[in-house]
C-alpha cells in the first residue's frame, strides 16, 4: 500500500446563489452556445481518446497472442524447475564426489568478494575419519557411508577452513544428528576433525577451532574454522562467523546440495 494524502471533495457546493438564476445580460446569452460548442468538443475528444486506448489495448492483446503462437510453433518453452527427492539415500542414491563438492580450485560465495582457495579435498568411505568420539560413532550408527571434505584458506588469509558433507541414510537420521551433536561438542565427548593440507595449515586440527553444522535432506553439513596462527578465536569474532555462514549456508547448502535438490529442465 502506498501511503499518502487523500484529496477529495468536502461536501460543499462549488457555487453559491440561486440554482436557477436568470441571465443578467445579452453577453451571457451569447456565451451559452459557445459553452455548448466547447462541451461538445471536449466530449468528442474524450470519446476519441477512449477509442484510441481501447484500440491500442486490443493491439497489445493480439500481439501477445501472436507471440505465444510463434513460441509454440518454434518449440520453445520456458525452463521448468523440478524438485528432486533428497529425503533418503534410496531416493538420492548417487554418491557425492570431491569434484561435485569442490569442482574448481576456489569457492566463490559472493562475486563482490575474493574467493576461498581450495588447498586439499578428500572423499572417504569412513565417516569417523572426519568426526571423532561420540560424533563419529553417532554418524556411523545413522548409516553414514561417506564424507566429502575440503580444506580452504579464507580470503583474508588469516583463517583456515575445513568444510564437508556427511552422506547419511535418511532425513530423520540427519535431523537427529544435528540435534544431538551440540551436547557432544559442549561436553567435549566428540568433535569434527579439521583436515591439515600441508605446511602452515596444522592449526586447522587444533581443538580450539570453531565449528558449525546443518542438516538438509539426508546430508549433514559441517564447517571447522581456525586461525592460521593457531591462536584461539574470540567468541564474538565477526570474520569467523562470516566464514561459517559462507561455507554452511551459502556454499554447501545453497550451492552444492541445492544442485541435488533442484533441477531446471528446458
Amino acid at each position: 500500500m502506498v501511503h499518502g494524502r487523500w484529496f477529495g471533495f468536502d461536501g460543499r457546493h462549488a457555487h453559491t446563489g440561486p440554482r436557477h438564476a436568470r441571465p443578467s445580460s445579452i453577453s451571457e446569452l451569447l456565451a451559452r452556445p459557445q459553452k455548448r460548442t466547447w462541451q461538445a468538443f471536449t466530449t468528442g475528444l474524450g470519446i476519441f481518446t477512449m477509442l484510441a486506448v481501447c484500440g491500442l489495448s486490443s493491439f497489445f492483446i493480439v500481439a501477445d497472442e501472436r507471440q505465444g503462437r510463434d513460441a509454440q510453433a518454434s518449440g520453445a518453452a520456458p525452463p521448468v524447475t523440478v524438485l528432486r527427492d533428497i529425503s533418503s539415500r534410496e531416493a538420492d542414491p548417487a554418491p557425492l564426489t570431491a569434484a561435485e563438492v569442490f569442482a574448481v580450485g576456489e569457492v566463490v560465495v559472493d562475486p563482490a568478494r575474493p574467493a576461498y582457495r581450495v588447498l586439499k579435498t578428500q572423499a572417504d568411505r569412513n565417516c569417523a575419519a572426519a568426526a571423532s568420539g561420540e560424533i563419529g560413532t553417532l554418524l556411523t550408527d545413522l548409516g553414514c557411508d561417506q564424507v566429502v571434505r575440503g580444506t580452504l584458506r579464507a580470503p583474508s588469509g588469516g583463517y583456515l577452513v575445513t568444510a564437508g558433507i556427511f552422506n547419511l541414510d535418511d532425513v530423520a537420521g540427519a535431523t537427529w544428528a544435528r540435534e544431538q551433536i551440540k551436547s557432544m561438542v559442549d561436553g567435549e565427548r566428540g568433535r569434527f576433525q579439521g583436515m591439515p593440507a600441508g605446511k602452515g595449515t596444522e592449526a586447522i586440527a587444533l581443538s580450539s577451532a570453531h565449528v558449525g553444522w546443518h542438516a538438509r535432506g539426508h546430508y549433514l553439513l559441517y564447517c571447522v574454522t581456525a586461525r592460521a596462527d593457531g591462536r584461539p578465536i574470540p567468541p564474538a569474532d565477526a570474520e569467523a562467523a562470516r566464514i561459517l555462514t559462507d561455507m554452511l549456508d551459502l556454499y554447501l547448502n545453497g550451492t552444492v546440495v541445492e544442485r541435488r535438490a533442484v533441477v531446471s529442465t528446458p
Side-chain angles (χ1 to χ4, degrees):
M1 177 182 293
V2 178
H3 297 280
R5 292 184 177 180
W6 287 92
F7 295 92
F9 296 108
D10 59 4
R12 293 175 297 178
H13 294 291
H15 65 279
T16 58
R19 295 183 60 186
H20 301 287
R22 299 178 64 182
S24 59
S25 66
I26 296 176
S27 60
E28 186 175 350
L29 287 171
L30 294 175
R32 285 184 175 178
Q34 296 176 357
K35 183 177 181 181
R36 287 197 296 270
T37 302
W38 176 251
Q39 288 177 340
F41 173 76
T42 55
T43 301
L45 181 62
I47 295 172
F48 174 80
T49 303
M50 182 182 66
L51 292 174
V53 171
C54 291
L56 188 60
S57 300
S58 300
F59 169 78
F60 284 132
I61 292 172
V62 172
D64 289 342
E65 291 177 349
R66 184 179 298 113
Q67 290 175 357
R69 291 195 299 269
D70 292 343
Q72 293 176 355
S74 65
V80 177
T81 299
V82 179
L83 298 180
R84 292 184 64 248
D85 183 5
I86 60 168
S87 63
S88 69
R89 201 161 50 231
E90 181 179 3
D92 177 35
L96 294 164
T97 66
E100 177 184 358
V101 181
F102 302 101
V104 293
E106 62 181 23
V107 168
V108 177
V109 295
D110 184 349
R113 290 193 279 133
Y116 289 77
R117 185 159 60 93
V118 179
L119 306 177
K120 180 181 179 179
T121 63
Q122 182 187 69
D124 201 319
R125 304 291 296 185
N126 178 22
C127 295
S132 63
E134 292 184 12
I135 298 178
T137 302
L138 173 67
L139 296 177
T140 300
D141 291 344
L142 292 173
C144 183
D145 71 347
Q146 69 165 159
V147 58
V148 176
R149 56 181 176 163
T151 293
L152 309 89
R153 189 175 295 277
S156 65
Y159 293 81
L160 296 167
V161 185
T162 294
I165 303 177
F166 292 96
N167 192 338
L168 304 185
D169 218 9
D170 53 35
V171 63
T175 303
W176 177 253
R178 182 195 65 197
E179 296 171 351
Q180 297 301 308
I181 286 171
K182 185 179 187 304
S183 64
M184 298 176 182
V185 171
D186 292 344
E188 298 183 354
R189 302 193 309 273
R191 59 189 293 263
F192 292 106
Q193 302 280 69
M195 181 176 64
K199 186 177 180 180
T201 65
E202 295 84 0
I204 193 64
L206 299 179
S207 59
S208 61
H210 275 201
V211 298
W213 58 93
H214 179 61
R216 182 176 180 186
H218 64 102
Y219 299 110
L220 181 73
L221 325 175
Y222 79 100
C223 177
V224 178
T225 306
R227 286 176 58 108
D229 59 10
R231 296 170 59 187
I233 298 176
D237 190 304
E239 184 65 17
R242 172 190 257 186
I243 290 171
L244 289 179
T245 299
D246 283 350
M247 288 291 104
L248 288 176
D249 295 338
L250 301 181
Y251 184 64
L252 293 179
N253 181 33
T255 300
V256 179
V257 179
E258 183 77 3
R259 284 196 297 256
R260 290 220 164 197
V262 179
V263 178
S264 293
T265 60

